[in-house]
Amino acid sequence: MMALSVSEFDEFFAAVHDGAAPFPWQRRLVERLVVTGRWPAQIAAPTGAGKTAVVDAHVFAVAAMVEGGAARLPRRLALVVPRRVLVDSQYDHACHIAELLRDAPEPDSVLGRVAAALWRLRWQCAPRSGTVPGSPLVIARLRGGLPAPRAWRDDPSACAVLSATPDMWGSRLLLHGYGSAPRARPREAGLLAMDAAVVVDEAHLARQLLETARAVSRLERTPPRSLVVPALQVVETTATPSSDQHDVLGVESSDLEAEILGRRLRSPKPLRLRESPHWPAAKGRARTRLVEEMVDEVVSLRARFGPTVGVFVNTVGLAVALAAALRKCTRPGGGSSLEVALVCGRLRNHDFAELGRRFPGLLTLTGNPEVDVLVATQSLEVGVDLDLAAALSELAPSQALTQRAGRVNRLGRRDATEVVVVGPDDESRLAGNARSGAGGSGPYDGADLTEAWHWLAGRASDSNGLSPAALTGDPPPTSPARRAVFQRVELADSWWWARTSDRSDPDVDLELWLADDLEGDLAEVGIVVRAAMPADPADAVALIRAMPPQEDEVFPAPLAEARKLLGELGERWSDDAQHARVLVRAGEVTEAGSVGRLRPGDLVVLDATAPCFTEGVVDPDGRETRPDVSEALHGEPVPGEVMLRVEPALWGEEAISLLETIGEILRASSSGRQTRSAIAHTLEGYTDRSAMVGPALELLRGRLKDVDVIPFWDDETLQRLVVADQRSAPSDEGARQVWTPSEQPPTLDDHAAAVARRARELASLVGLERDLVETLGLAGEHHDDGKADLRFQREVLGWGEGTPLLAKGSSDSARGTAISTLPAHWRHEQLSVVKADLTLRDRAAPDGVDLPLVLRLVGTSHGHGRVSFPHSADELGPLPGDEDQVARALYDRGEWDDLVERTQQAYGVWGVAYLEALLRAADGQVSGEGS
């Protein structure tokens, strides 16, 4: 089969975009990637020019690379943008491509050939699972307010697309990922810094992040030992090219001759300024008057230009007031009231989906003509492909207004439109600073608004107004930097961040290296509501461990607002409401009050009676509640419900029938005693047991493997019976170390051989040189040598005398560490280093293999030992003579610490983290397969 050629990108693009052709600049990007293997430093493309197509270009170019038709390219692409809605939009587009590749109809079609090429990047027995099951493209979404995804770390050889906010991507790059477990942080950092590219959209809002990313890229190009794979390539996107940037690719003047692109960028968007004596107005009579003025403008725009008119405001309060007032107005010509949709930004995914079901097509280019007015906060100014008939906006910074205007007549098909901006009739009210309480509006600074108002006056005199083509000659002014200088990443900083296994290392404050505004708060947490949370904190924690939060039920919230909310909520809750608050941090579930202050990436679970919402958005001053939307066997959770942790399809019809029967009995019963007797009667053959839970557990375990049943009581009444499928536990790296879902636990020798084979295969797939391929293979062969300790075998894995040593045990062995006589925090990897050192010295490692690197990879194979280990040689043992001498040299005299530093110096902080990620992925893959 012929290798994919650049000329076939048009066909691929058409398959993804319903027959549309790529714009000329998009073709040039693919040509560049295929020929040079490098992304440009800057992509200059105005609003409406199709910047999301960088995903299409990445996927196609990587597939061409696999078939030998392109230069060596980074296989992971991260799209970073400081707008959660745009993160979701880019993620949805990547999902669309992944689905097309999964469902490619013909092997010889361009989609089929791209899919086949991308499958060749993955290990031989790659499971057809992931965000889009059965697709060769790995995708993930990293943004605050969502559970942190983990699956993307397990497939480092695959082509991947990650969509992220700056804080979530940047914190992971700097080895302290928000919401990530400490032991997982080096894996993520290595994969984001090596064999990866990042496209930072709206770069004017992320200048510090760009500085940090470029510094990391420079640091990883300088270590003495090169890994061959590309170091991080950093791309910024902008509407206008920078004068100091020479490596620029983007829209050229000749591109506008193309009919579709020319129409999009050249169509006039006339601008009119509405001066109001009541703007800005936060509350009271002034806001009432402002709302009246804005309603008049919106009704006029609707009458002149038809549906849908967009209204962009700077605060949730004004959005709510405007929507309520507009719903009292009638459509042009009389008759029914205006249909008004309100989107106040930080909605959970479930509520966004509900909005789409209620108003199909509203948040797409297709639109919904039944909706007269769409009222939104700044959340919709970018990221959602709207094609509005006209728009009214509050005054905002010029860059934000440009984005808002970009949603108007986006396709250029309307003959007429208008953008109206409401601002002050007296500029003196813009003076000052929003943080001091003067001059600002919502999140925006008075100085930025003053500059924007002056610029808009000039644009209003031009009949082209805010059309993208007109703005190339008169670009919106860039907001001044919020800090005097940007922080540079120094080598010493990276070495400090690399101490991820240091138990005394507190969470590092990364704002200095990530944030443009040190006084702002871009970090987010997630809020989840669950119905009938147990009043007992221990029961509440157990419930959330059994049924952890899912993506669609999480409300994103700024960190500062969430802290304020939790501090005030108890005072506003009714006396009889449930007060349990559960914290989920990096996968660990605890009482919210048992840990320190909230951190970025945390999730907090509250009872659904918590009055902390306004129009579906978390609001510390809110008085509304939102329903629990967690998945349950019978829909909405109610007292006496049987609930599942996993998709019912995994259970089979017989198990579903049994659980439905139990659920019916629970709902029909009125007391714990009746429930017990009814279920005991139902579970035929177990009527000699007086308790309900016992026979239910026995029967379920008899029919299904690895099932746990967790009852939750309220006095004598059984409130919930959570039936948890423990087969999901292999997705947890800690559990995979000691148990397997396989009926026959793997032996230590078999597991070591399997990891060694997979490590060599992954190293070869990513293009490492032969010496490093063998180094990773040897590390995989010896990474679990320390499990041969007979205490670990007996007490943790359940090994029996006279049988081969085990690598994993049954599901019960995961609990064995709690009763083990091993020292606290004992790690088998620490002993694995000792045994591997002796073994490899005795048999002489192959030429070219870096023995210190092998030992480092063995010791850090589960994220521990990156600084030191907690035990001395005496505490690790007792050990036989040779092993004791090696252990004393390594751990008592500091040779391990020296080895860690030497390997880090040789390969770089992120280079060695990348090698660790490859080995840990190999181990995770074979463990997940049952080996």
Side-chain angles (χ1 to χ4, degrees):
M1 184 179 292
M2 293 285 291
L4 287 164
S5 66
V6 173
S7 61
E8 293 177 279
F9 177 66
D10 282 31
E11 183 181 351
F12 175 74
F13 191 92
V16 172
H17 296 272
D18 296 326
F23 296 143
W25 79 265
Q26 295 164 340
R27 290 193 188 97
R28 290 195 296 273
L29 176 60
V30 173
E31 291 170 359
R32 177 195 168 107
L33 294 175
V34 166
V35 173
T36 69
R38 289 200 59 82
W39 286 80
Q42 186 180 89
I43 293 177
T47 299
K51 291 191 289 291
T52 305
V54 296
V55 177
D56 310 54
H58 167 71
V59 171
F60 183 85
V62 171
M65 174 190 74
V66 177
E67 292 200 333
R72 176 65 165 91
L73 278 163
R75 64 192 65 206
R76 275 176 297 283
L77 175 67
L79 304 170
V80 175
V81 61
R83 315 273 185 175
R84 70 184 64 83
V85 178
L86 185 51
V87 169
D88 292 344
S89 176
Q90 293 170 339
Y91 173 78
D92 290 343
H93 182 59
C95 285
H96 173 61
I97 295 178
E99 290 166 352
L100 290 174
L101 296 175
R102 176 195 62 193
D103 302 331
E106 300 290 340
D108 293 335
S109 68
V110 69
L111 284 176
R113 292 171 61 199
V114 169
L118 297 186
W119 272 119
R120 286 169 54 192
L121 287 177
R122 305 180 69 174
W123 77 94
Q124 186 175 1
C125 302
R128 272 35 176 179
S129 62
T131 304
V132 178
S135 176
L137 180 63
V138 172
I139 54 180
R141 173 170 47 189
L142 301 167
R143 70 166 171 84
L146 292 180
R150 299 179 294 184
W152 67 276
R153 307 186 309 227
D154 291 333
D155 205 349
S157 63
C159 179
V161 176
L162 313 176
S163 187
T165 51
D167 59 324
M168 298 300 278
W169 180 85
S171 63
R172 281 162 173 76
L173 181 69
L174 301 187
L175 294 110
H176 282 75
Y178 296 153
S180 296
R183 307 297 175 253
R185 292 170 178 173
R187 295 183 67 184
E188 296 178 332
L191 294 176
L192 293 179
M194 304 300 298
D195 209 358
V198 60
V199 175
V200 181
D201 200 1
E202 293 198 73
H204 63 283
L205 299 177
R207 284 173 282 188
Q208 175 62 68
L209 182 74
L210 278 170
E211 172 65 31
T212 295
R214 287 168 176 156
V216 170
S217 180
R218 288 192 297 270
L219 287 172
E220 279 314 300
R221 291 197 300 268
T222 57
R225 291 291 302 270
S226 170
L227 298 185
V228 180
V229 299
L232 179 65
Q233 297 180 17
V234 183
V235 189
E236 62 174 301
T237 69
T238 179
T240 54
S242 303
S243 58
D244 60 348
Q245 184 58 258
H246 304 293
D247 186 12
V248 181
L249 184 147
V251 175
E252 299 175 358
S253 57
S254 59
D255 294 349
L256 301 185
E257 300 306 317
E259 179 184 358
I260 295 176
L261 184 59
R263 188 172 64 230
R264 282 191 179 191
L265 302 186
R266 285 175 168 167
S267 293
K269 298 184 183 183
L271 170 67
R272 177 165 55 87
L273 303 185
R274 169 68 184 261
E275 297 180 351
S276 170
H278 309 296
W279 189 94
K283 55 186 177 180
R285 183 181 297 274
R287 190 171 81 171
T288 301
R289 296 287 178 83
L290 177 63
V291 167
E292 293 172 352
E293 292 176 359
M294 296 180 74
V295 166
D296 290 343
E297 287 286 0
V298 173
V299 171
S300 173
L301 291 172
R302 169 62 180 85
R304 287 185 289 144
F305 302 109
T308 298
V309 174
V311 180
F312 297 94
V313 296
N314 301 337
T315 63
V316 172
L318 183 57
V320 172
L322 259 177
L326 285 166
R327 288 178 178 131
K328 298 176 182 178
C329 301
T330 58
R331 284 176 167 167
S336 60
S337 300
L338 290 175
E339 184 70 70
V340 180
L342 174 62
V343 180
C344 284
R346 301 184 301 273
L347 298 177
R348 57 185 169 184
N349 291 348
H350 170 85
D351 295 335
F352 255 122
E354 283 296 309
L355 185 68
R357 284 188 282 270
R358 182 182 175 191
F359 302 117
L362 174 63
L363 301 183
T364 69
L365 286 173
T366 303
N368 186 321
E370 296 302 313
V371 178
D372 297 287
V373 184
L374 173 61
V375 180
T377 54
Q378 57 268 25
S379 59
L380 292 189
E381 67 192 27
V382 296
V384 178
D385 270 338
L386 304 175
D387 188 21
L388 300 170
L392 173 74
S393 174
E394 274 195 277
L395 177 61
S398 53
Q399 296 278 358
L401 288 169
T402 300
Q403 295 290 351
R404 295 177 184 186
R407 313 303 116 184
V408 177
N409 196 18
R410 189 170 181 83
L411 299 180
R413 294 173 178 170
R414 291 181 170 83
D415 294 331
T417 187
E418 187 177 45
V419 177
V420 180
V421 177
V422 179
D425 63 344
D426 182 355
E427 284 190 25
S428 65
R429 294 205 305 276
L430 289 173
N433 184 291
R435 293 187 188 86
S436 64
S441 174
Y444 301 127
D445 182 278
D448 290 345
L449 298 181
T450 299
E451 187 174 42
W453 195 238
H454 291 163
W455 175 74
L456 288 172
R459 296 308 318 147
S461 65
D462 183 343
S463 60
N464 289 311
L466 297 177
S467 76
L471 298 186
T472 59
D474 183 16
T478 301
S479 299
R482 301 295 185 198
R483 47 193 295 183
V485 294
F486 291 119
Q487 186 70 19
R488 186 173 62 184
V489 175
E490 304 289 355
L491 183 62
D493 298 323
S494 66
W495 278 57
W496 176 251
W497 297 328
R499 300 169 62 90
T500 55
S501 65
D502 189 344
R503 300 181 67 87
S504 65
D505 179 28
D507 277 359
V508 177
D509 185 354
L510 299 175
E511 285 193 354
L512 191 61
W513 293 273
L514 299 180
D516 276 20
D517 186 354
L518 296 178
E519 297 181 27
D521 183 17
L522 296 178
E524 290 185 325
V525 298
I527 303 294
V528 177
V529 294
R530 291 283 179 87
M533 284 279 286
D536 183 272
D539 283 349
V541 168
L543 177 62
I544 300 307
R545 283 177 179 159
M547 297 186 63
Q550 305 298 309
E551 270 198 3
D552 285 353
E553 61 174 328
V554 181
F555 293 91
L559 181 58
E561 288 191 12
R563 287 173 174 166
K564 179 183 178 185
L565 168 68
L566 295 181
E568 299 177 354
L569 197 55
E571 301 174 6
R572 297 194 277 114
W573 241 332
S574 61
D575 293 338
D576 59 347
Q578 305 291 343
H579 285 231
R581 306 173 192 181
V582 176
L583 176 76
V584 183
R585 173 175 292 164
E588 296 293 324
V589 183
T590 60
E591 293 179 44
S594 65
V595 296
R597 287 157 56 90
L598 282 180
R599 302 174 189 169
D602 285 348
L603 300 177
V604 179
V605 186
L606 304 173
D607 190 84
T609 59
C612 55
F613 296 94
T614 298
E615 289 291 333
V617 175
V618 173
D619 180 4
D621 301 318
R623 292 295 185 269
E624 301 171 5
T625 61
R626 297 298 296 165
D628 178 357
V629 297
S630 59
E631 292 183 355
L633 187 61
H634 300 283
E636 283 284 324
V638 295
E641 186 98 60
V642 176
M643 308 173 83
L644 294 180
R645 178 179 177 178
V646 296
E647 291 292 336
L650 295 178
W651 291 79
E653 293 182 3
E654 186 180 45
I656 291 293
S657 176
L658 173 63
L659 296 176
E660 288 176 342
T661 300
I662 295 174
E664 291 168 5
I665 293 171
L666 292 177
R667 285 192 298 278
S669 65
S670 58
S671 72
R673 185 178 301 279
Q674 291 173 357
T675 301
R676 292 189 181 93
S677 61
I679 291 186
H681 178 74
T682 299
L683 301 180
E684 187 175 354
Y686 293 88
T687 53
D688 58 326
R689 300 283 296 275
S690 60
M692 179 279 298
V693 176
L697 178 61
E698 293 298 327
L699 182 60
L700 289 173
R701 282 183 168 168
R703 297 185 181 183
L704 300 168
K705 291 285 292 179
D706 299 313
V707 167
D708 201 3
V709 178
I710 309 168
F712 293 93
W713 302 90
D714 180 9
D715 295 327
E716 289 298 314
T717 303
L718 183 65
Q719 293 292 316
R720 280 190 179 91
L721 182 70
V722 176
V723 183
D725 183 358
Q726 298 301 314
R727 284 172 293 182
S728 62
S731 65
D732 177 78
E733 185 177 3
R736 286 191 307 223
Q737 296 176 31
V738 294
W739 81 277
T740 175
S742 175
E743 293 186 8
Q744 182 62 44
T747 67
L748 189 57
D749 288 343
D750 288 347
H751 176 70
V755 175
R757 285 194 300 271
R758 187 62 55 81
R760 290 186 176 96
E761 185 171 358
L762 285 180
S764 298
L765 281 171
V766 301
L768 294 184
E769 294 179 335
R770 184 186 62 82
D771 293 348
L772 283 175
V773 171
E774 185 58 26
T775 294
L776 278 161
L778 288 174
E781 183 179 338
H782 295 284
H783 79 288
D784 273 351
D785 284 0
K787 287 184 177 180
D789 185 289
L790 295 184
R791 296 169 297 173
F792 188 84
Q793 286 287 317
R794 293 191 186 98
E795 299 167 9
V796 178
L797 301 183
W799 168 77
E801 298 282 353
T803 61
L805 296 178
L806 298 175
K808 320 277 183 185
S810 65
S811 58
D812 289 336
S813 67
R815 305 184 183 96
T817 53
I819 58 174
S820 173
T821 60
L822 292 164
H825 309 302
W826 187 92
R827 295 300 311 176
H828 66 269
E829 307 97 285
Q830 186 176 4
L831 183 56
S832 295
V833 174
V834 174
K835 292 180 175 291
D837 192 354
L838 284 172
T839 300
L840 293 174
R841 286 183 190 177
D842 290 344
R843 81 180 199 194
D847 291 341
V849 168
D850 187 341
L851 181 57
L853 180 59
V854 173
L855 297 179
R856 186 223 169 90
L857 294 175
V858 167
T860 60
S861 57
H862 296 301
H864 298 269
R866 302 190 90 245
V867 180
S868 60
F869 283 104
H871 296 113
S872 66
D874 287 338
E875 294 169 329
L876 186 61
L879 302 175
D882 289 348
E883 290 186 5
D884 183 71
Q885 292 180 24
V886 172
R888 291 186 184 281
L890 285 169
Y891 307 125
D892 295 354
R893 296 196 292 271
E895 289 187 9
W896 174 254
D897 303 57
D898 179 66
L899 181 149
V900 168
E901 291 187 0
R902 284 189 286 117
T903 51
Q904 197 157 276
Q905 187 173 31
Y907 296 92
V909 166
W910 287 272
V912 77
Y914 173 72
L915 295 174
E916 291 175 22
L918 293 178
L919 178 62
R920 294 174 67 180
D923 188 16
Q925 289 172 11
V926 299
S927 295
E929 295 161 13
S931 174

